[in-house]
């Protein structure tokens, strides 16, 4: 474990008191203004920069948990930061704030889409373009993560195993996740100091 | 009523697969939404997923739009709750325990090991997604342009997606 993600007792002790409403409104604002893969940057500038609720060390620690667990970074970070700053209620307030704008946006989009398909070829053409752009955007996000975090044969091997398992051998995602995941964790099992920085993957997301 | 329990089941299951992000769950989502439950066609699911990339906040809130198609606004609510609640509770519980495990050596192994697997699952999802959405030379050009713009510049991704929509209207209509 690198020192940088171990929580500092001092930081925990000086945990600021955050009002629930403030928590909700802060995450509501992040939830309404963050786009695409950039949500982590928005979170960091709000929580570490503007509000000073967390320091960089705590932020990275929460990011490392958030990345390892299922769920999106946006919502996992809301839950973890909310809990750290004002307990269970804070967690709920942050999560609600983060999700509310997106829920309204996507429900409205769903209603609009439902009543427009088939009738308007122009909508379909626009969405075809949107889908193509989404491929480019998601590919770029993962290219940037990969470029910073993929090191050596093992990493390349596990990536390839997951891709081939799902796409070529049509094995279901949970089986690949558990199977390749278990082997990968075992490959990186605790050993004598083999200095690779576990934060690479996390810091690449910033 | 039956629709609601199907929505709840499908999306709480899918949420557990989103290690590293939503794309990892795409192949299973396609199978369940399109082939198993016939809630949408693959083209429609691709459209809705792509619109999710334009949404503020968590982009996988696109599950609400699938819910709308199945059971209107109550459907959207169920889909969203099912997708975000189980992983939310898991994160909450593990988040509390994880901090106490700072010196547990396997903690680093888990984080280190799951990194490449998450990348692999995302690539697998993206390949499957791309097969369905890159269906013309124009689409390929848009995808490449957005890829390089994102890698090379700091442009707002929502603008790029809107640009894709514009090209779609002009070139594909």
């Amino acid at each position: 474990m690198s020192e940088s993600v171990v929580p500092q007792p001092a930081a925990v002790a000086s945990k600021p008191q955050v009002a629930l409403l403030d928590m909700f409104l802060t995450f509501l604002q992040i939830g309404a203004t963050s786009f695409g893969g950039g949500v982590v940057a928005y979170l960091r500038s709000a929580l570490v920069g503007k509000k000073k609720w967390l320091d960089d060390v705590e932020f990275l620690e929460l990011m490392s948990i958030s990345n390892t667990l299922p769920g999106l970074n946006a919502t996992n970070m809301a839950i973890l930061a909310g809990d750290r700053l004002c307990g269970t209620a804070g967690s709920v307030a942050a999560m609600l704030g983060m999700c509310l704008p997106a829920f309204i946006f996507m429900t409205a989009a769903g209603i609009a889409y439902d009543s427009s398909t088939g009738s308007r070829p122009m909508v379909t053409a626009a969405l075809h373009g949107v889908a193509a752009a989404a491929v480019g955007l998601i590919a770029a996000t993962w290219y940037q993560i990969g470029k910073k975090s993929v090191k050596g044969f093992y990493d390349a091997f596990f990536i390839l195993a997951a891709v081939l398992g799902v796409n070529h051998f049509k094995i279901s995602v949970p089986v690949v996740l558990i199977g390749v995941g278990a082997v990968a964790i075992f490959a990186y099992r605790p050993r004598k100091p083999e200095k690779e920085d576990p934060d690479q993957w996390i810091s690449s997301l910033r | 009523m039956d629709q609601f329990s199907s929505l709840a089941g499908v999306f709480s299951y899918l949420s557990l697969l989103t290690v590293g992000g939503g794309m990892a769950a795409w192949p299973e989502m396609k199978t369940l939404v399109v082939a198993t439950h016939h809630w949408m066609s693959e083209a429609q699911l691709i459209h809705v997923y792509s619109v999710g990339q334009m949404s503020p906040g968590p982009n996988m809130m696109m599950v609400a739009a699938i819910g709308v198609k199945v059971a209107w606004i109550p459907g959207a609510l169920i889909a969203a709750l099912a997708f975000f609640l189980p992983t939310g509770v898991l994160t909450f519980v593990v988040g509390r325990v994880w901090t106490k495990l700072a010196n547990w050596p396997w903690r680093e192994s888990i984080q280190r090991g799951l990194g490449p697997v998450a990348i692999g699952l995302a690539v697998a999802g993206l390949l499957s997604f791309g097969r369905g959405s890159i269906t013309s030379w124009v689409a390929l050009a848009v995808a490449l342009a957005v890829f390089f713009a994102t890698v090379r510049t700091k442009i707002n991704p929502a603008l790029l997606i809107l640009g894709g929509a514009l090209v779609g209207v002009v070139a594909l209509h």
Side-chain angles (χ1 to χ4, degrees):
Chain A
M1 185 91 276
S2 126
E3 300 78 3
S4 63
V5 292
V6 177
Q8 306 296 304
V12 176
S14 66
K15 177 169 72 177
Q17 284 299 305
V18 179
L20 272 186
L21 183 67
D22 197 8
M23 178 71 87
F24 173 74
L25 292 176
T26 300
F27 276 91
L28 186 70
Q29 199 192 349
I30 301 170
T33 53
S34 61
F35 289 97
V39 71
V40 173
Y42 285 87
L43 280 165
R44 192 163 167 279
S45 92
L47 301 179
V48 181
K50 234 182 297 166
K51 291 284 181 178
K52 306 206 189 309
W53 285 344
L54 299 171
D55 58 30
D56 259 321
V57 173
E58 286 176 295
F59 186 82
L60 273 185
E61 193 217 342
L62 297 187
M63 273 307 298
S64 79
I65 303 174
S66 164
N67 278 329
T68 308
L69 292 172
L72 309 185
N73 274 329
T75 47
N76 280 354
M77 283 300 283
I79 289 166
L80 295 170
D83 185 35
R84 170 134 336 174
L85 294 163
C86 46
T88 312
S91 196
V92 174
M95 178 75 169
L96 279 178
M98 180 58 104
C99 288
L100 205 58
F103 180 76
I104 294 168
F105 179 91
M106 283 314 301
T107 303
I111 291 169
Y113 184 69
D114 209 15
S115 54
S116 75
T117 33
S119 57
R120 278 182 245 163
M122 202 157 128
V123 174
T124 309
L127 288 171
H128 194 71
V130 168
V135 172
L137 180 65
I138 298 166
T141 308
W142 283 100
Y143 168 75
Q144 283 164 331
I145 294 172
K147 201 173 63 173
K148 286 178 184 160
S149 65
V150 177
K151 292 178 281 181
F153 171 76
Y154 271 150
D155 283 346
F157 175 78
F158 293 129
I159 292 173
L160 198 66
V163 173
L164 289 179
V166 173
N167 273 304
H168 188 72
F169 297 105
K170 307 287 174 203
I171 304 169
S172 77
V173 174
V175 175
V176 172
L177 175 61
I178 294 168
V180 182
V183 177
I185 291 168
F186 182 74
Y188 288 108
R189 67 191 172 278
R191 265 184 288 213
K192 288 147 285 168
E194 168 224 11
K195 268 304 133 202
E196 278 205 291
D197 185 0
D199 296 342
Q200 281 291 323
W201 196 66
I202 299 130
S203 48
S204 69
L205 289 170
R206 276 188 291 165
Chain B
M1 207 57 231
D2 195 34
Q3 293 281 44
F4 289 133
S5 51
S6 302
L7 278 173
V10 165
F11 289 112
S12 50
Y13 165 68
L14 288 176
S15 77
L16 296 173
L17 305 180
T18 57
V19 172
M23 214 11 129
W26 172 262
E28 290 284 302
M29 179 180 273
K30 194 179 79 175
T31 303
L32 287 169
V33 171
V34 177
T36 310
H37 291 284
H38 309 289
W39 286 329
M40 290 181 161
S41 68
E42 185 184 346
Q44 288 174 319
L45 185 62
I46 285 174
H47 288 164
V48 169
Y49 191 101
S50 308
V51 172
Q53 300 300 311
M54 269 192 290
S55 167
N59 48 25
M60 288 305 288
M61 194 52 97
M62 52 74 64
V63 299
I66 304 174
V68 165
K69 185 89 176 9
V70 177
W72 197 232
I73 292 175
L77 213 64
I78 298 288
L81 278 177
F83 196 82
F84 289 100
L85 201 60
T87 51
V89 171
L90 182 73
T91 300
F92 181 82
V93 173
V94 176
R96 288 195 166 183
V97 178
W98 207 241
T99 317
K100 299 197 182 90
L101 295 178
N103 296 316
W104 185 46
W106 282 92
R107 193 182 122 146
E108 184 184 336
S109 306
I110 293 172
Q111 287 176 190
R112 189 69 188 82
L114 287 185
V117 180
I119 296 178
L121 289 178
V123 171
L126 192 60
L127 286 173
S128 159
F129 186 85
R131 262 200 302 274
S133 53
I134 307 294
T135 50
S136 63
W137 288 106
V138 175
L140 182 65
V142 169
L144 287 174
V146 171
F147 177 86
F148 285 110
T150 310
V151 171
R152 296 276 163 81
T153 69
K154 289 199 173 297
I155 191 166
N156 187 330
L159 290 179
L160 291 173
I161 303 256
L162 281 177
L166 215 65
V167 174
V169 169
V170 173
L172 301 170
H173 182 40

